[in-house]
Amino acid sequence: MKEKEIEKKREIKRERRELITRAKIVELLSERHIRSQHTPVLLAWFSPNPHLSTRKDVSVALFYSLLFCFLLMSSLLTFRYRFFKISALLLFFEIFLPVCLKICRHRKLKRKRERRFLLPISM
């Protein structure tokens, strides 16, 4: 029983002594980056950029979310006062806004992937 425990301790010490490879460092950094990245879900949904990295991205996403809320309230009020055509038009814009933002995000990601393939293999 003691021999197994001693052997386990030796294995742990050997693992600690192993050299840290570049792949391990990259993996640790990527995990840390994922954990440290706390973006509000709704703001990320209303952002034209795939990732909210700067204050400008957050402010643009906040603007689009407020615009969406404004369109929603306007649509409900015009429907309540029986302006059905105006309400339908506002509802169309309300649906069209998140769809356009999603298309914009996918285009930016596609461009980013294409630029990555244009880099030389040595990099």
Side-chain angles (χ1 to χ4, degrees):
M1 191 79 169
K2 282 189 174 183
E3 293 175 7
K4 289 182 182 179
E5 292 175 2
I6 293 172
E7 189 63 36
K8 284 182 184 178
K9 288 181 182 178
R10 286 181 185 164
E11 286 180 29
I12 292 171
K13 286 181 183 178
R14 275 188 229 132
E15 289 175 0
R16 287 182 185 166
R17 286 184 205 152
E18 287 180 6
L19 293 174
I20 298 175
T21 61
R22 191 176 286 183
K24 286 182 183 178
I25 292 173
V26 168
E27 184 179 347
L28 290 171
L29 285 174
S30 65
E31 288 176 2
R32 182 177 178 193
H33 178 70
I34 289 169
R35 277 186 267 123
S36 68
Q37 191 176 20
H38 297 291
T39 56
V41 177
L42 287 178
L43 282 183
W45 199 57
F46 283 109
S47 173
N49 292 331
H51 305 289
L52 296 174
S53 56
T54 63
R55 287 187 180 198
K56 180 185 173 194
D57 295 337
V58 173
S59 62
V60 169
L62 189 61
F63 170 75
Y64 282 125
S65 64
L66 291 174
L67 179 66
F68 182 79
C69 290
F70 174 75
L71 287 173
L72 177 68
M73 295 304 293
S74 301
S75 153
L76 291 173
L77 286 173
T78 54
F79 186 76
R80 167 74 172 93
Y81 292 117
R82 299 182 188 269
F83 297 113
F84 298 118
K85 290 181 182 178
I86 297 173
S87 178
L89 183 67
L90 289 172
L91 192 63
F92 170 75
F93 284 126
E94 185 181 332
I95 294 170
F96 192 65
L97 178 69
V99 171
C100 286
L101 292 172
K102 188 170 186 173
I103 290 170
C104 187
R105 277 193 302 270
H106 284 291
R107 282 185 181 170
K108 286 186 180 186
L109 282 173
K110 188 177 179 182
R111 264 189 262 138
K112 188 175 179 180
R113 283 188 208 117
E114 287 174 355
R115 273 189 280 139
R116 207 177 287 154
F117 286 123
L118 293 175
L119 290 174
I121 296 176
S122 63
M123 291 183 79

